[in-house]
Amino acid sequence: MSSGHSNLPPRAKTGGQSKKQPPRKKPSGVKSFFKFILVLILLAVLGVAVYAGSLYFKAENGVLDTGNNNPVPPEKAATVKPITMLLLGSDHRPESGTNLTDVMMVVSMNPDTNSATMVSLPRDTSIQLEGYKSNQKLNAFYGAFKRQEKDSGIKAEEQMKTMFSKYLDVEIDYVTVLDFQGFRDVVDALGGVSVDVQYNMCYKDSVDETDINLKAGPQELNGKQALDYVRYRKSNCSRKTKESNDFDRNARQSEVLHSLIDRMKSFGGATKAFKVLDAVDDNMTTDIEKDQVKNMIKAYFDINKQDVKFMPVTGEWRSPFVYINNEELENAKQALKDELAGKHVSESEETNADSEPKS
């Protein structure tokens, strides 16, 4: 994934906060992959990747409980019906009480093609959508909906699902929220993640206890370091390191997720499946039926990372918002619909098609 954009914003506070402090480093989320990769993707979506045997055993025996025990009609089972899920990565951590969704992805999966298409949006997006504030960053809506739950009687997760369904013009079946602690725990449960850090990264924030200090080069990162790697945005250290932007981070998120999928599908990863599920269980909110999780495992347990297409939607930064590139947004909408219709086009096929000389 290329990242030729360098005009992304400095970290700015969202949600109308009035205190003027140095920009706080919150999981910058944006585009693709999760800013923590929602691990969810690992479980619920590519949950898949944890290995059918141990995953299914846990689900079958009630160890994995999503909190939704409603039956799944046979015609809506993930083994026969394509489904679409909203994945939200929350910056909520033990050391913070916020609910900014700095990772926002919509994933369509098709059991017939055993493939998936994942679309992600920048955290600072200003959405132009009737009935929703255009002066509020996209990642602040979840927290706002949370605060409204008591009065509205509607869960914030349901509100987000409705909003994204309208924005991307596709019916979203489920929503899953995973916080940063879940990501860190999953990486640690798998024994770390292999990445190639392209340049030194240094950032410190005593307010939220962020302490990023990574050196360039191929290496194994633990959960805390992996989160630092995908979150890194800019440096405030005495010896400043190269700055990053949301689009660069998307590429790093993609790298980490691919590495996690490889780790999950290895024998070593399979033997650690229970630990991974425990990490997800403790840090995840979802409306997926327990039986549907079992269906997803059966449908996608052998999915390959080459069959997962990532489409980060970019845009133009005009403080304090990112204004989405309409052409990219329309392409992303169509890709989700194509996935549901069984017309999956892999990234490699798309690249080869683009490189062919026009006649």
Side-chain angles (χ1 to χ4, degrees):
M1 239 183 268
S2 62
S3 55
H5 303 265
S6 59
N7 59 340
L8 251 268
R11 294 293 292 173
K13 292 191 183 274
T14 56
Q17 296 175 348
S18 58
K19 285 186 178 178
K20 291 187 177 179
Q21 299 177 353
R24 293 178 58 176
K25 181 146 197 59
K26 287 203 174 136
S28 99
V30 235
K31 325 223 79 318
S32 165
F33 272 115
F34 316 39
K35 195 155 246 154
F36 69 126
I37 313 187
L38 291 183
V39 140
L40 186 183
I41 276 193
L42 281 176
L43 185 242
V45 168
L46 298 173
V48 161
V50 189
Y51 238 36
S54 52
L55 273 178
Y56 194 83
F57 174 84
K58 227 183 174 188
E60 184 68 28
N61 289 278
V63 183
L64 176 61
D65 188 0
T66 66
N68 185 347
N69 296 317
N70 293 330
V72 180
E75 68 275 11
K76 292 189 176 182
T79 50
V80 297
K81 177 186 178 295
I83 62 174
T84 298
M85 182 186 302
L86 171 62
L87 302 174
L88 301 174
S90 168
D91 73 343
H92 186 78
R93 290 161 286 161
E95 61 268 26
S96 76
T98 56
N99 281 294
L100 295 175
T101 51
D102 282 340
V103 175
M104 293 166 285
M105 306 177 67
V106 173
V107 184
S108 287
M109 298 168 282
N110 193 309
D112 293 332
T113 55
N114 197 25
S115 60
T117 294
M118 305 173 67
V119 170
S120 60
L121 295 163
R123 68 183 297 280
D124 292 332
T125 295
S126 170
I127 65 169
Q128 308 302 310
L129 187 63
E130 185 177 356
Y132 296 91
K133 294 181 180 179
S134 59
N135 63 343
Q136 179 169 280
K137 293 181 179 180
L138 189 57
N139 76 330
F141 278 92
Y142 182 63
F145 291 148
K146 273 286 186 186
R147 294 189 292 273
Q148 297 169 10
E149 281 184 340
K150 186 174 181 180
D151 293 330
S152 69
I154 305 174
K155 289 186 176 181
E157 293 79 15
E158 194 65 30
Q159 294 260 52
M160 292 294 284
K161 190 163 64 173
T162 298
M163 182 176 72
F164 272 84
S165 292
K166 291 179 179 178
Y167 188 60
L168 293 174
D169 192 26
V170 62
E171 182 178 355
I172 296 176
D173 302 293
Y174 299 107
V175 57
T176 298
V177 184
L178 185 73
D179 65 33
F180 277 170
Q181 186 61 46
F183 172 67
R184 295 189 291 205
D185 289 349
V186 167
V187 173
D188 285 336
L190 287 170
V193 62
S194 302
V195 302
D196 185 1
V197 180
Q198 297 299 306
Y199 47 84
N200 293 344
M201 299 177 181
C202 181
Y203 181 89
K204 300 181 185 299
D205 187 342
S206 59
V207 176
D208 67 358
E209 300 182 14
T210 295
D211 185 3
I212 299 174
N213 186 16
L214 297 172
K215 303 301 181 182
Q219 55 199 280
E220 292 279 318
L221 303 182
N222 62 26
K224 187 269 181 187
Q225 293 168 326
L227 181 60
D228 289 345
Y229 183 58
V230 297
R231 289 181 61 205
Y232 177 74
R233 186 183 184 94
K234 64 179 182 178
S235 178
N236 63 352
C237 299
S238 57
R239 178 173 291 184
K240 289 191 175 181
T241 52
K242 180 180 176 180
E243 292 195 357
S244 179
N245 60 43
D246 284 340
F247 307 113
D248 292 331
R249 286 199 307 277
N250 289 339
R252 296 201 298 272
Q253 292 162 10
S254 174
E255 177 190 10
V256 170
L257 186 52
H258 278 308
S259 181
L260 284 175
I261 293 174
D262 285 340
R263 188 67 63 95
M264 291 285 278
K265 298 191 83 168
S266 69
F267 175 76
T271 61
K272 297 173 181 175
F274 282 12
K275 288 184 179 180
V276 171
L277 291 174
D278 287 339
V280 173
D281 244 353
D282 294 339
N283 299 280
M284 181 178 76
T285 299
T286 184
D287 60 356
I288 304 173
E289 301 93 346
K290 183 171 66 175
D291 285 346
Q292 190 71 302
V293 172
K294 291 187 285 185
N295 292 331
M296 293 174 71
I297 294 169
K298 287 191 286 185
Y300 300 100
F301 78 93
D302 60 346
I303 194 171
N304 292 313
K305 63 183 181 183
Q306 292 83 359
D307 295 318
V308 180
K309 180 179 181 179
F310 299 93
M311 295 189 68
V313 179
T314 65
E316 180 184 356
W317 164 248
R318 297 200 301 273
S319 182
F321 299 107
V322 169
Y323 292 88
I324 291 299
N325 180 302
N326 286 329
E327 182 178 356
E328 289 187 18
L329 181 60
E330 291 305 315
N331 288 340
K333 291 179 181 179
Q334 190 59 51
L336 291 172
K337 293 175 183 177
D338 286 346
E339 185 69 62
L340 295 175
K343 302 175 183 177
H344 179 83
V345 178
S346 68
E347 292 178 352
S348 59
E349 289 174 324
E350 197 169 64
T351 300
N352 291 336
D354 290 340
S355 63
E356 291 178 359
K358 306 288 189 240
S359 56

